[in-house]
Amino acid sequence: MAKSATTQGESPSRLIDARIEELGDWRGRTLARVRALIKEADPEIVEEWKWRGVPVWSHAGMICTGETYKSVVKLTFAKGASLNDPSGLFNSSLEGNTRRAIDIREGHEIDADALKTLVRAAVALNKSR
């Protein structure tokens, strides 16, 4: 997806597909993998595209964002500080009172079951408020 390409009228899911394809490296594969796990965890998840190019997954409110940087794919959970994380996936943005993030670096394999558990807990938290 060229930076000059318009995103108006494009579905968020298609824009996320295009981002994955555009990256064309480990970051694209990682984003595709976590996206699949998020959808497995909650088949009713809604995909959104916000802030000029950030994939967002929501259900009864925002669950997490999927940002890609040069050396990391960052999953930021909007209410991560309120979630139990027994597997210790959260490894970034730990100082805040609200958000928590998972930085995934090249060669790192995320614990699929632990991520799905976090997504389900975030959905339950959103539904409870």
Side-chain angles (χ1 to χ4, degrees):
M1 182 173 74
K3 294 196 185 290
S4 61
T6 180
T7 58
Q8 189 171 5
E10 290 272 355
S11 78
S13 292
R14 174 65 193 114
L15 292 168
I16 296 169
D17 290 341
R19 170 60 50 82
I20 290 167
E21 185 177 321
E22 172 191 359
L23 289 166
D25 60 10
W26 70 270
R27 296 170 302 160
R29 291 187 299 275
T30 300
L31 186 59
R33 174 75 174 135
V34 296
R35 178 192 198 191
L37 293 172
I38 290 166
K39 289 173 148 184
E40 284 176 27
D42 180 15
E44 295 179 21
I45 204 95
V46 175
E47 292 189 313
E48 299 175 282
W49 185 258
K50 295 187 176 191
W51 309 295
R52 296 185 191 190
V54 177
V56 176
W57 292 276
S58 298
H59 187 151
M62 186 185 300
I63 300 300
C64 67
T65 63
E67 297 170 85
T68 52
Y69 299 99
K70 185 176 181 176
S71 64
V72 70
V73 173
K74 180 182 283 288
L75 294 180
T76 302
F77 282 71
K79 298 174 185 165
S82 298
L83 300 175
N84 187 18
D85 180 24
S87 297
L89 286 183
F90 292 133
N91 60 9
S92 183
S93 303
L94 302 175
E95 65 285 343
N97 293 329
T98 307
R99 296 176 295 144
R100 292 287 183 272
I102 304 167
D103 284 354
I104 307 166
R105 299 189 184 285
E106 186 173 11
H108 176 80
E109 184 65 33
I110 192 155
D111 182 331
D113 291 333
L115 179 61
K116 290 192 277 189
T117 297
L118 276 178
V119 169
R120 290 181 189 119
V123 170
L125 179 61
N126 282 353
K127 288 181 170 183
S128 73
R129 296 183 176 198

